[in-house]
Amino acid sequence: MKSLQRTLFISLIVIVLTPAYHGVEIIGGHEAKPHSKPYMASIQCNKKKKYEHYCGGALIRNRWVLTAAHCECKGPVQVVLGAHSLSQNEESQQKIRVKKQYPHPKFNKKTPDDDIMLLQLSSEAKTNKYVKLLNLPKDKDKDIKPGIQCTVAGWGQTKSKTPSDTLREVMLYVIDRQTCNSKQYYNHQPQITKDMICASDRKGREDTSMGDSGSPLICRNKYKGIVSYGPKDPNAKKPGIYTFITKKYLDWIEKVIGVKTYNMTTEDLY
């Protein structure tokens, strides 16, 4: 039995932590209002002489995007800001090459621990009504109560298993860590720590998946988490796992960027 559990766990890690198929993202949900989430970044990796959407992220400074560490790309990377449709050459879009990727030094692909990464852009993003910064948490270690409603947005797969060209969003609810670690849920495989958030819809019909990795989890208009880990298909007993942006990570971000990120000027989310 232990051998079977270990095999299933390793298989899940391979499926979820390695975003090999760029088109898998929001399952269910609905199309977002165009340009209603101006902080969203499409992270695109060039593997076949063409940039393709790979992960999501959030613009937190003019030269910095925050995403998940397992979204690290071995080839050239660019981010697209100000987009609603990725196939259309929208005038609102800004395409900027990534100068350097900074995955958290303690991240290990075998677990979702420390699944957070900074992308340094080669030039500054120009903020306007289509492109805005997303504030990092100012309340630092304040936890999120179970049952709170959150949203995640991303480009990609829908219920019909076909990629979406336009930005979609899904509504989720926070699940307490004790429940998420219980035998009926993840059974500590992986261990849901205080640096993670569990969230799903209440019927197991909608969720995030691989290609949505790195996208921001917004709870009560606050940036609280990063899409990290979850099953290939929505499952009420296998909720999505999100990196919780705690003081530990804020301190690391400050060290990399060189500014006190949680004292940034307020920007409207919408």
Side-chain angles (χ1 to χ4, degrees), residues 192-244:
I192 312 304
T193 72
K194 61 180 178 60
D195 294 321
M196 300 174 193
I197 298 169
C198 269
S200 74
D201 84 320
R202 289 171 173 165
K203 296 182 179 179
R205 296 175 182 172
E206 301 178 348
D207 208 341
T208 56
S209 193
M210 292 183 291
D212 198 45
S213 296
S215 290
L217 178 73
I218 307 296
C219 304
R220 293 184 174 176
N221 287 346
K222 293 183 179 181
Y223 187 11
K224 303 301 290 187
I226 299 167
V227 178
S228 172
Y229 180 100
K232 186 175 182 180
D233 296 304
N235 183 333
K237 299 295 185 179
K238 293 289 185 290
I241 299 174
Y242 300 78
T243 301
F244 183 22

Side-chain angles (χ1 to χ4, degrees), residues 1-268:
M1 186 65 181
K2 289 184 177 179
S3 177
L4 177 60
Q5 288 177 337
R6 188 179 299 110
T7 300
L8 290 173
F9 175 59
I10 292 173
S11 298
L12 187 60
I13 287 291
V14 171
I15 290 171
V16 180
L17 289 186
T18 306
Y21 177 53
H22 67 274
V24 184
E25 293 207 9
I26 296 291
I27 306 295
H30 60 274
E31 183 172 345
K33 180 181 177 181
H35 309 292
S36 62
K37 303 180 186 304
Y39 49 81
M40 285 296 301
S42 167
I43 299 170
Q44 303 186 351
C45 189
N46 189 331
K47 286 191 172 182
K48 297 180 180 179
K49 297 183 179 181
K50 180 182 178 182
Y51 284 105
E52 295 185 333
H53 177 83
Y54 193 62
C55 281
L59 184 69
I60 61 168
R61 298 289 284 179
N62 292 70
R63 280 185 181 267
W64 295 92
V65 168
L66 189 62
T67 185
H70 75 263
C71 290
E72 185 176 11
C73 174
K74 301 304 179 184
V77 184
Q78 74 172 9
V79 300
V80 179
L81 306 168
H84 180 64
S85 166
L86 293 180
S87 68
Q88 301 298 313
N89 189 22
E90 300 167 321
E91 291 184 3
S92 58
Q93 292 185 13
Q94 297 178 40
K95 297 180 180 180
I96 307 174
R97 289 286 296 272
V98 171
K99 181 179 180 180
K100 190 171 182 179
Q101 302 173 80
Y102 291 87
H104 193 280
K106 291 186 178 180
F107 175 68
N108 182 326
K109 289 184 178 181
K110 294 180 180 179
T111 77
D113 294 298
D114 303 310
D115 192 9
I116 185 170
M117 177 169 66
L118 281 162
L119 301 179
Q120 183 181 19
L121 306 183
S122 60
S123 61
E124 287 195 359
K126 297 177 181 178
T127 55
N128 51 42
K129 67 177 181 179
Y130 301 111
V131 177
K132 292 186 179 182
L133 306 182
L134 180 59
N135 286 337
L136 289 170
K138 293 181 175 65
D139 47 11
K140 304 180 185 180
D141 281 329
K142 187 176 180 180
D143 210 348
I144 304 178
K145 294 181 179 179
I148 285 180
Q149 188 180 89
C150 304
T151 59
V152 179
W155 292 271
Q157 194 175 42
T158 63
K159 287 180 180 178
S160 62
K161 303 295 184 182
T162 57
S164 171
D165 172 57
T166 54
L167 186 68
R168 297 180 66 82
E169 63 181 331
V170 66
M171 191 177 297
L172 306 170
Y173 296 87
V174 175
I175 299 171
D176 69 275
R177 295 182 185 89
Q178 183 176 354
T179 297
C180 213
N181 273 319
S182 68
K183 289 182 179 180
Q184 291 75 27
Y185 283 71
Y186 278 108
N187 195 24
H188 300 278
Q189 296 181 353
Q191 174 74 27
I192 312 304
T193 72
K194 61 180 178 60
D195 294 321
M196 300 174 193
I197 298 169
C198 269
S200 74
D201 84 320
R202 289 171 173 165
K203 296 182 179 179
R205 296 175 182 172
E206 301 178 348
D207 208 341
T208 56
S209 193
M210 292 183 291
D212 198 45
S213 296
S215 290
L217 178 73
I218 307 296
C219 304
R220 293 184 174 176
N221 287 346
K222 293 183 179 181
Y223 187 11
K224 303 301 290 187
I226 299 167
V227 178
S228 172
Y229 180 100
K232 186 175 182 180
D233 296 304
N235 183 333
K237 299 295 185 179
K238 293 289 185 290
I241 299 174
Y242 300 78
T243 301
F244 183 22
I245 306 175
T246 59
K247 183 178 183 299
K248 165 185 172 180
Y249 296 126
L250 290 170
D251 288 345
W252 171 74
I253 292 169
E254 179 185 339
K255 182 179 178 181
V256 176
I257 294 180
V259 296
K260 290 190 176 181
T261 53
Y262 40 80
N263 288 331
M264 286 163 36
T265 302
T266 301
E267 288 276 352
D268 293 334

